Amino acid sequence: MLNVIEHGEPGRPQVLIAHGLFGSGRNWGVIGKRLADTFHVLCPDMRNHGDSPWFDSHSYEDMADDLAGLLDGPADVVGHSMGGKAAMMLALTRPDLVRRLVVADIAPVAYGHSQSHNIAAMKAVDLSGVTRRSEAAPLLDADDEVKSFLLQSLDVAEARWKLNLDVLDREMDRIIGWPEVSGRFDGPALFLSGGRSDYVRREHRETIKASFPQARFARIPDAGHWLHAENPRDFEATLRAFLA
């Protein structure tokens, strides 16, 4: 169902990588290509993102079901931010499909940082005369770092965003929240945070351990919330060490 970019040879140990809000599987191309020497890496576009289908809902239960549909057996599952919550939901509801879990810079808690302002900024851009992404940049009211990231989801040829902005806006409380979920994942789990990020705090560890009793914690120095993009070499090295 989801659009998937694959790296590496089928038959190798499988790694599934779930991207964050406003992202796509392409965002993980560098990491995916480097891991391809050892793994078969699946980088899907999550629902309502990229080239995957659009739906009227965007719950973590739905996203976990989407990811489960890509797997025919246990895999190592990596998720960043929104994708990290989807990966956690998959591990809690379908532990038979998750061999090892890596959660990048997010905790199983509700947050207050709505991203609706970025959705409003994207909707406000008049794309009718835009022929290059560089022409859309000054029209997009966002911080420079965020602007560059958002523009990766602009389809200039079709004059559209490859994001279901209406549904993502309507479902924002679900996206930044975390539902009541029973279950426990007893497999190996790594919660990997950016050294400059405050998304995973010490007070979250008790909550994490309740659902993921084997959880271990590590930080990537010189990186914020987008740790895999800001310090990809250290992220890759930590990932390889854990998956080995």
Side-chain angles (χ1 to χ4, degrees):
M1 181 178 63
L2 300 182
N3 180 64
V4 181
I5 300 171
E6 299 185 46
H7 305 281
E9 296 295 327
R12 291 176 176 172
Q14 204 161 62
V15 175
L16 172 64
I17 302 179
H19 66 77
L21 182 62
F22 305 142
S24 71
R26 290 175 56 249
N27 297 151
W28 286 84
V30 172
I31 298 292
K33 288 174 183 176
R34 293 185 64 84
L35 292 177
D37 64 345
T38 307
F39 300 98
H40 177 217
V41 185
L42 306 179
C43 298
D45 293 337
M46 302 295 278
R47 61 169 49 209
N48 297 313
H49 288 72
D51 293 321
S52 284
W54 287 11
F55 297 92
D56 288 332
S57 67
H58 202 79
S59 72
Y60 287 111
E61 294 88 346
D62 289 335
M63 284 185 271
D65 284 345
D66 293 344
L67 296 178
L70 301 177
L71 302 174
D72 53 13
D76 296 325
V77 180
V78 181
H80 171 248
S81 198
M82 178 194 76
K85 285 187 170 181
M88 286 188 280
M89 182 62 73
L90 177 65
L92 293 173
T93 58
R94 292 294 308 273
D96 57 304
L97 291 178
V98 181
R99 187 167 45 236
R100 287 166 292 202
L101 175 69
V102 180
V103 180
D105 213 59
I106 203 73
V109 301
Y111 290 85
H113 52 268
S114 171
Q115 297 298 313
S116 290
H117 61 289
N118 285 320
I119 292 177
M122 284 184 276
K123 284 184 172 183
V125 177
D126 181 1
L127 298 174
S128 59
V130 172
T131 59
R132 292 188 298 273
R133 286 179 181 170
S134 59
E135 295 173 353
L139 306 177
L140 182 61
D141 184 15
D143 295 336
D144 287 343
E145 181 181 14
V146 176
K147 180 183 298 190
S148 176
F149 173 66
L150 296 178
L151 287 171
Q152 293 180 47
S153 291
L154 176 59
D155 184 342
V156 175
E158 297 294 329
R160 61 184 284 269
W161 295 96
K162 299 175 78 170
L163 300 164
N164 191 348
L165 296 177
D166 289 338
V167 167
L168 294 176
D169 194 25
R170 190 178 68 234
E171 296 277 84
M172 187 57 64
D173 287 345
R174 272 181 162 182
I175 295 169
I176 64 175
W178 179 248
E180 290 289 334
V181 55
S182 60
R184 195 173 79 166
F185 178 68
D186 290 314
L190 176 65
F191 284 74
L192 188 55
S193 306
R196 297 194 307 270
S197 173
D198 63 354
Y199 274 63
V200 182
R201 302 175 183 174
R202 186 162 294 275
E203 58 263 33
H204 294 153
R205 292 193 175 190
E206 183 177 351
T207 300
I208 292 169
K209 282 285 192 177
S211 297
F212 306 93
Q214 287 202 57
R216 298 162 57 189
F217 301 89
R219 286 190 174 274
I220 299 293
D222 302 322
H225 183 57
W226 285 280
L227 62 173
H228 60 290
E230 296 172 33
N231 197 335
R233 289 303 176 93
D234 282 358
F235 185 92
E236 178 199 345
T238 305
L239 194 60
R240 284 185 185 274
F242 179 72
L243 298 182

